[in-house]
């Protein structure tokens, strides 16, 4: 069986690491990786392939740094060409980026079965580009691998046939378990001279593209007076400059880190504050409470179970949330037991052979 994986953004490289490792256990399954180039910087792309042992992509496209339409259009055209050449048995896509949608669209038009990992997640906010990518990808996928029963219910409500939906747990839990044993303290950490710190990430377009929201977030973080380490996504760096946002000295901005350093920061911080989907779950995997800088989340289980609180972008709410002491005695088990990649492979091999 030949699987063609389309990926292009940081969270997809991280998920692909678990899948590619599970693949090693299978004879007769070949994976061809197409990297769309949606993320292309050394610290947003190459570092993950190097330190996580992800096989190098056979195809590397250059579709990053464009508007959504131009990027998705170019990806669609180029992936179609590759599919003509490679003739895979199945196309595998992850998550909710433009690369996810382009990969799925290219495949469906050539009647190639599609497997979508992290299917069924919904924020119910169609202003988010990710939400549109998810809904459309799910509608045309043949294998919908969902992390939770809530995600399955979302798909059933949208009329997707139950026989296509597989509750397999969360592939990011496989990754979190494996790399926790290999985590690395960032070389710059001691220079900051911090006893305790909060770990924060901010990158979602709905926060960065709106000057008021972004400035409120930084105001709230600054008001908290606690030391905050913020590995900053390139999009947010440029928006801080564009919107002239004031960054107070308790907020230590650093370059985006590799995954092994990120895990170290997650394991050693007191609290995680983020608008990232993946980081919300990693907080839970590493037994940390999470304050989410959004008004809704796709990971509703974490809020329902009391591991995550949504504060949106109100400066006072953010300040308040950061000043609380949270218990960090979280029970793990919501997203499976860390064998999701293997489950996915088993299902695909069983059905396609
Ligand atoms: N991450 C990382 N370095 C960083 C920031 C995040 O390795 O400087 C990892 C993080 O641990 C998680 C993933 O990137 O596994 C999340 O990606 P992102 O927040 O870009 O996307 P989302 O999960 O919101 O789709």
């Amino acid at each position: 069986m030949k699987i063609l994986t389309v990926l292009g953004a940081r969270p997809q490289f991280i998920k692909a690491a678990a899948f590619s490792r599970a693949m090693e256990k299978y004879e007769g399954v070949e994976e061809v990786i197409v990297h769309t180039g949606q993320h292309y910087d050394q610290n947003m792309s190459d570092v993950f392939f190097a330190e996580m042992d992800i096989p190098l992509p056979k195809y590397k496209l250059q579709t990053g740094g464009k508007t959504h339409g131009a990027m998705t259009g170019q990806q669609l055209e180029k992936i179609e060409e590759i599919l003509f050449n490679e003739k895979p048995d199945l196309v595998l896509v992850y998550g909710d980026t433009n690369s996810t949608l382009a990969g799925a669209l290219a495949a469906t038009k050539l009647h190639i079965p599609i497997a979508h990992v992290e299917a069924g997640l919904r924020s119910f906010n169609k202003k988010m580009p990710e939400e549109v990518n998810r809904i459309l990808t799910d509608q045309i996928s043949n294998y919908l691998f969902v992390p939770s029963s809530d995600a399955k219910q979302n798909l059933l409500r949208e009329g997707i046939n139950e026989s296509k939906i597989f509750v397999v747990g969360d592939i990011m839990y496989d990754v979190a378990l494996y790399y926790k044993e290999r985590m690395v303290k960032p070389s710059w950490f001691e220079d900051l001279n911090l006893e305790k710190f909060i770990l924060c990430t901010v990158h979602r377009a709905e926060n960065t593209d709106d000057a008021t929201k972004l400035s409120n977030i930084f105001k709230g973080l600054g008001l908290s007076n606690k030391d905050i380490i913020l590995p900053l996504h390139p999009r947010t760096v440029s928006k801080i400059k564009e919107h002239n946002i004031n960054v107070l000295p308790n907020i230590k901005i650093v370059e985006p880190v590799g995954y092994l350093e990120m895990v170290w920061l997650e394991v050693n911080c007191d609290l995680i504050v983020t608008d990232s989907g993946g980081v919300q779950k990693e907080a839970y995997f590493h037994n940390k409470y999470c304050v989410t800088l959004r008004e809704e989340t796709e990971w509703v289980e974490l809020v329902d179970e009391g591991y995550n609180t949504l504060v949106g972008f109100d400066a006072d709410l953010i300040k308040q949330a950061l000043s609380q002491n949270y218990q960090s005695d979280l029970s793990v088990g919501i997203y499976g037991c860390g064998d999701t990649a293997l489950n996915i492979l088993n299902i695909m091999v069983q059905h396609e052979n």
Side-chain angles (χ1 to χ4, degrees):
M1 179 164 79
K2 189 196 251 190
I3 299 174
L4 186 135
T5 301
V6 178
L7 36 71
R10 175 169 68 186
Q12 295 165 332
F13 311 141
I14 291 166
K15 288 161 197 147
F19 187 77
S20 301
R21 215 176 18 267
M23 282 265 312
E24 289 166 11
K25 302 201 172 148
Y26 266 88
E27 283 188 14
V29 183
E30 178 196 354
E31 185 186 27
V32 173
I33 297 181
V34 179
H35 183 336
T36 64
Q38 187 171 338
H39 283 165
Y40 47 84
D41 297 347
Q42 205 281 336
N43 56 13
M44 293 294 289
S45 169
D46 298 355
V47 64
F48 299 99
F49 286 86
E51 71 178 15
M52 299 179 87
D53 281 333
I54 307 167
L56 285 182
K58 180 163 176 188
Y59 300 91
K60 200 158 179 193
L61 314 178
Q62 288 178 331
T63 64
K66 298 184 170 59
T67 59
H68 282 278
M71 183 191 293
T72 316
Q74 278 197 6
Q75 291 172 349
L76 180 60
E77 188 179 354
K78 292 181 178 177
I79 295 167
E80 182 180 60
E81 224 174 276
I82 296 170
L83 294 179
F84 278 135
N85 287 336
E86 291 286 343
K87 300 185 179 39
D89 299 299
L90 196 138
V91 167
L92 173 66
V93 292
Y94 295 100
D96 53 23
T97 70
N98 293 337
S99 308
T100 315
L101 177 61
L105 263 180
T108 198
K109 285 170 187 287
L110 298 177
H111 306 298
I112 301 171
I114 302 156
H116 184 202
V117 177
E118 260 195 10
L121 298 174
R122 297 291 180 266
S123 65
F124 302 100
N125 173 3
K126 284 200 187 131
K127 285 204 173 130
M128 289 175 71
E130 296 93 339
E131 181 78 351
V132 176
N133 291 339
R134 291 179 195 125
I135 294 173
L136 298 181
T137 303
D138 283 341
Q139 282 297 325
I140 55 177
S141 290
N142 306 72
Y143 297 90
L144 295 112
F145 293 114
V146 300
S148 65
S149 50
D150 270 312
K152 178 173 178 176
Q153 292 309 317
N154 289 337
L155 294 176
L156 292 174
R157 265 199 306 277
E158 289 173 18
I160 291 180
N161 194 309
E162 192 167 5
S163 64
K164 295 185 188 173
I165 308 172
F166 303 90
V167 184
V168 288
D170 190 333
I171 199 163
M172 288 189 78
Y173 188 38
D174 301 21
V175 185
L177 288 178
Y178 184 82
Y179 290 98
K180 190 175 177 188
E181 306 298 314
R182 293 156 180 80
M183 65 183 184
V184 172
K185 186 198 267 191
S187 57
W188 43 257
F189 182 76
E190 297 299 343
D191 298 339
L192 293 180
N193 217 359
L194 306 179
E195 262 179 41
K196 294 157 130 324
F197 66 96
I198 292 173
L199 176 64
C200 179
T201 73
V202 184
H203 79 291
R204 206 153 282 289
E206 66 186 285
N207 282 333
T208 59
D209 292 359
D210 182 320
T212 311
K213 285 186 187 175
L214 194 61
S215 124
N216 282 346
I217 288 174
F218 275 87
K219 192 171 161 201
L221 297 175
L223 280 173
S224 86
N225 275 332
K226 295 198 174 171
D227 288 315
I228 299 174
I229 296 183
L230 177 52
L232 209 51
H233 193 288
R235 178 198 291 146
T236 320
V237 172
S238 71
K239 291 293 179 180
I240 284 181
K241 284 188 197 134
E242 187 186 320
H243 305 317
N244 218 355
I245 306 272
N246 189 21
V247 180
L248 289 170
N250 66 316
I251 306 171
K252 323 284 179 205
I253 292 184
V254 294
E255 294 277 318
V257 291
Y259 188 73
L260 304 186
E261 293 182 333
M262 188 65 183
V263 175
W264 189 91
L265 292 167
E266 289 172 340
V267 168
N268 287 284
C269 69
D270 281 344
L271 176 71
I272 293 185
V273 182
T274 190
D275 62 2
S276 156
V279 177
Q280 286 176 61
K281 283 178 297 166
E282 287 165 356
Y284 170 70
F285 299 150
H286 298 307
N287 213 20
K288 295 293 146 93
Y289 196 84
C290 185
V291 171
T292 298
L293 302 167
R294 292 180 54 196
E295 291 186 322
E296 76 276 305
T297 178
E298 300 75 29
W299 304 100
V300 285
E301 308 82 0
L302 298 177
V303 177
D304 294 346
E305 299 287 332
Y307 303 142
N308 185 333
T309 187
L310 303 175
V311 292
F313 36 85
D314 180 292
D316 287 325
L317 278 183
I318 295 171
K319 179 193 161 196
Q320 265 173 36
L322 267 59
S323 68
Q324 298 199 23
N325 281 325
Y326 298 96
Q327 55 94 15
S328 63
D329 185 20
L330 313 180
S331 68
V332 174
I334 296 182
Y335 298 117
C337 52
D339 57 359
T340 295
L342 214 51
N343 284 339
I344 290 174
L345 253 170
N346 283 335
I347 292 167
M348 292 193 308
V349 168
Q350 230 172 48
H351 285 71
E352 288 297 312
N353 281 336

